[in-house]
Amino acid sequence: MSDSPAPVASPISYDALREAAERRAQQQPTQRSAAQLAAEHERRQMFRRLLDPGITRPNSKEQAMASMKTLLTISENLLREPENPKFQQFKPTNGVIKRNLMDPKGALEYAIELGFRPEVKNFQPFYSFNPRHMESLRIGSAILKEAFDLETEKQERAARAKKEEKAVAAAAANKVKLAFIDDRKSKIEADEREKVLREARLAAAAARGSEPSTSPEPSRSQQVMPGSGHVLGLDMPPEDDRAEDSEED
């Protein structure tokens, strides 16, 4: 039986080592130094100041919200697709950009801090994103979303409160209306009852007035016989007494 040669391990390629190192680095949490954390905190505070008072104070609430929404859309699109050329720039002459970034105070300054810089391409003005400012884009977008969501929630609460207030006022008005209708109905019913009673009294009075009037008949003792001048029922003297009276005469 011949001895077989031992298997020789294949050499590990440089690419495999690099990929393994990258995977290991991705799995390990990134440790940030105190200086990095302090710098990020300062960047966050700077973006907050750019929002308030930078955008919210000099503009109306509606305009400030519209500018914040446009900035948030630009930053989130670029963070989601950083390699998409469509999201890497915007034209200042675009209607929405002009209305929400160029004209309002403070909005363009925020876009510049996100990493957009003015340049001219084919004689057309653009604001293009510099990839070196990706960290600023991430921080500025987070601050925008935080402020925009907070203000949106506040407006929704105010709208709900106003709607509830209107509902309460409408319910109170409806209650007053129903009470008024009930009072009117009760009065109409009372008037109708009074009318019926009045008509009944008038009918009863008319019926009494139409009956014939009858005088009482004289009593039998008061009836006078014709031609005698005596009243029936009176005590007549005996016939002998009448004769005596005649003789005396």
Side-chain angles (χ1 to χ4, degrees):
M1 182 175 181
S2 61
D3 295 334
S4 60
V8 179
S10 59
I12 299 176
S13 67
Y14 173 77
D15 291 339
L17 289 173
R18 181 173 56 81
E19 291 176 359
E22 289 178 354
R23 285 195 301 270
R24 188 163 53 251
Q26 291 175 358
Q27 292 173 357
Q28 294 177 353
T30 304
Q31 299 294 332
R32 311 188 73 180
S33 65
Q36 289 175 325
L37 293 174
E40 180 175 334
H41 175 73
E42 181 58 32
R43 294 292 292 172
R44 287 179 176 274
Q45 293 300 102
M46 183 268 296
F47 276 115
R48 288 192 176 99
R49 288 191 295 270
L50 286 174
L51 279 179
D52 187 7
I55 295 177
T56 59
R57 298 284 179 87
N59 302 298
S60 66
K61 183 177 292 186
E62 292 76 13
Q63 182 58 69
M65 287 293 289
S67 297
M68 290 167 60
K69 185 176 182 180
T70 300
L71 287 166
L72 185 60
T73 300
I74 291 173
S75 60
E76 286 184 338
N77 286 341
L78 188 54
L79 286 171
R80 187 176 61 252
E81 299 182 42
E83 303 301 326
N84 191 335
K86 182 175 64 175
F87 299 142
Q88 293 175 356
Q89 62 185 12
F90 61 82
K91 292 183 67 174
T93 55
N94 176 274
V96 175
I97 296 298
K98 186 176 187 304
R99 184 169 60 252
N100 292 336
L101 293 190
M102 307 306 295
D103 293 343
K105 294 181 179 179
L108 181 60
E109 288 79 359
Y110 200 100
I112 290 173
E113 289 299 328
L114 288 174
F116 289 90
R117 298 293 184 269
E119 63 177 359
V120 177
K121 297 179 181 179
N122 298 325
F123 305 100
Q124 295 292 326
F126 285 91
Y127 278 83
S128 300
F129 179 71
N130 188 332
R132 291 182 301 175
H133 297 284
M134 186 59 72
E135 183 65 13
S136 293
L137 179 70
R138 182 185 65 80
I139 296 173
S141 180
I143 298 301
L144 274 170
K145 183 170 178 55
E146 174 187 290
F148 186 80
D149 290 347
L150 183 63
E151 185 61 30
T152 300
E153 183 181 355
K154 187 187 301 182
Q155 290 183 3
E156 289 175 351
R157 284 200 307 268
R160 285 195 300 269
K162 188 174 182 180
K163 185 177 180 180
E164 291 172 359
E165 183 180 351
K166 286 184 177 180
V168 170
N174 188 53
K175 186 176 180 180
V176 172
K177 181 180 179 181
L178 291 176
F180 176 76
I181 292 174
D182 289 342
D183 290 343
R184 291 275 298 172
K185 185 177 179 181
S186 299
K187 187 176 184 307
I188 291 173
E189 291 176 351
D191 291 344
E192 187 65 25
R193 288 195 299 269
E194 181 64 26
K195 179 181 178 182
V196 171
L197 291 174
R198 186 168 58 251
E199 291 177 351
R201 287 195 295 267
L202 291 174
R208 286 195 301 271
S210 63
E211 292 178 356
S213 59
T214 56
S215 57
E217 296 182 358
S219 63
R220 185 175 181 181
S221 61
Q222 295 177 347
Q223 292 180 357
V224 180
M225 291 295 293
S228 65
H230 296 287
V231 179
L232 291 177
L234 295 178
D235 293 335
M236 298 294 292
E239 187 175 350
D240 294 338
D241 292 339
R242 291 198 302 270
E244 291 177 359
D245 291 338
S246 299
E247 290 177 356
E248 290 178 359
D249 292 338

